[in-house]
Amino acid sequence: MPEGLEAEIYRRSADHVVARRIARVEVDDHQAMAAELVRALPGRTVEATRRRGKYVLLDLDDGRSLGLHFGMTGRLIIDGVSAIDRLEYASGRDDPAWNRLVVTFDDATTLRVNDPRRWAVFTLDPDLARLGPDFLTLDVDDLVVRLGRRRAAVKTILLDQSVVAGFGNMCVDEVLWQSGISPAAPSNSLDRAHLETFVSACGEHLPAMLERGGSHTGTLDPEVRSAVPPCPRDGASMRRDTIGGRTTIWCPVHQTG
């Protein structure tokens, strides 16, 4: 967390600062672009918001964009209110000592990124060309090409942001479970029918999870991930494995693709 769904929730929240002019900026000294952000942002007006994968972008009136990437524990807070009260694997405290970015606008509106672990990253004009297609707008033909030559486990490949942008651990497990595909299956073993089922599951379940509040709201929610009860679909014993270095919850009975 945050995954692409959380980034989209933050993007919607950031719409509140569109048309507002930046008065001053405070940036954590650990940020590589801290000095440039402090110099370049004051006086600029936010014209629009966008999201690509796990990035939230604030488009400015000088043609540049402020990119916000929240790492595992960053929260976006506007005028003291976060669109997400607490991330699943992070503290719910809003400690001022954890503010890594504070943008104050002319009308005293504030936008903050609060991150206890300093994993959030802020950049001007982040390189989005390295990212794959967004996980909310997947195309089967594109996925056939991107997965067809890969031998690694499909879960590992889907978490590679250069292949598909936006997936995190919980969303990948959820959609693979919904589509009946084994997370350990070699990517190049999946035929077009498998990928059509996967894209269909993404189109059905990811928007629903977004509206419910994020990547923790799927069938394989944090309670299921912790307890690993019988599979909610077929009653079989589910497994907790490590695939690509990530904890993976899946059902070996119906996830046979």
Side-chain angles (χ1 to χ4, degrees):
M1 298 273 282
E3 301 189 16
L5 295 184
E6 284 68 38
E8 176 59 20
I9 291 170
Y10 288 154
R11 185 207 64 76
R12 295 178 181 184
S13 177
D15 280 343
H16 184 70
V17 303
V18 171
R20 300 181 192 273
R21 185 173 181 270
I22 298 171
R24 63 182 181 275
V25 178
E26 302 164 62
V27 188
D28 189 285
D29 289 341
H30 287 74
Q31 292 288 324
M33 295 191 72
E36 185 173 358
L37 293 172
V38 169
R39 176 188 60 79
L41 293 179
R44 303 273 61 88
T45 297
V46 178
E47 292 194 330
T49 67
R50 291 180 289 137
R51 181 194 55 80
R52 177 74 178 277
K54 300 178 184 181
Y55 280 90
V56 172
L57 298 117
L58 307 184
D59 292 333
L60 307 173
D61 60 351
D62 63 351
R64 306 193 76 180
S65 296
L66 171 61
L68 309 177
H69 191 284
F70 298 92
M72 287 286 290
T73 54
R75 290 195 304 151
L76 184 69
I77 300 171
I78 296 178
D79 280 345
V81 178
S82 176
I84 300 174
D85 291 336
R86 178 175 180 172
L87 297 171
E88 195 59 40
Y89 301 115
S91 171
R93 290 170 53 200
D94 182 11
D95 188 331
W98 297 342
N99 287 337
R100 308 307 175 190
L101 173 71
V102 181
V103 180
T104 304
F105 296 86
D106 277 352
D107 62 357
T109 295
T110 59
L111 177 153
R112 295 184 289 123
V113 177
N114 192 265
D115 180 9
R117 297 191 181 183
R118 278 198 170 112
W119 287 346
V121 176
F122 320 120
T123 51
L124 281 173
D125 300 323
D127 179 14
L128 303 181
R130 63 183 179 82
L131 298 178
D134 191 78
F135 74 142
L136 291 181
T137 57
L138 280 179
D139 176 83
V140 174
D141 291 333
D142 197 19
L143 208 55
V144 168
V145 172
R146 289 177 175 273
L147 270 61
R149 296 188 180 93
R150 306 290 188 108
R151 296 182 180 179
V154 63
K155 175 171 179 176
T156 301
I157 297 302
L158 289 171
L159 288 174
D160 182 342
Q161 300 299 296
S162 70
V163 177
V164 178
F167 274 126
N169 200 41
M170 286 195 286
C171 281
V172 165
D173 280 359
E174 178 71 23
V175 181
L176 289 173
W177 182 85
Q178 294 286 358
S179 55
I181 295 173
S182 167
S187 294
N188 60 3
S189 72
L190 302 178
D191 60 21
R192 187 179 183 88
H194 286 118
L195 297 182
E196 287 175 346
T197 300
F198 178 81
V199 170
S200 177
C202 288
E204 177 180 358
H205 295 286
L206 293 178
M209 291 164 66
L210 175 62
E211 296 309 316
R212 290 196 298 265
S215 56
H216 64 292
T217 65
T219 301
L220 304 187
D221 62 21
E223 183 176 346
V224 170
R225 298 182 69 83
S226 175
V228 196
C231 177
R233 175 170 293 181
D234 54 40
S237 296
M238 296 187 73
R239 291 177 54 172
R240 179 192 285 119
D241 291 330
T242 299
I243 297 177
R246 307 298 299 275
T247 299
T248 302
I249 308 299
W250 67 293
C251 173
V253 171
H254 84 267
Q255 287 181 254
T256 56

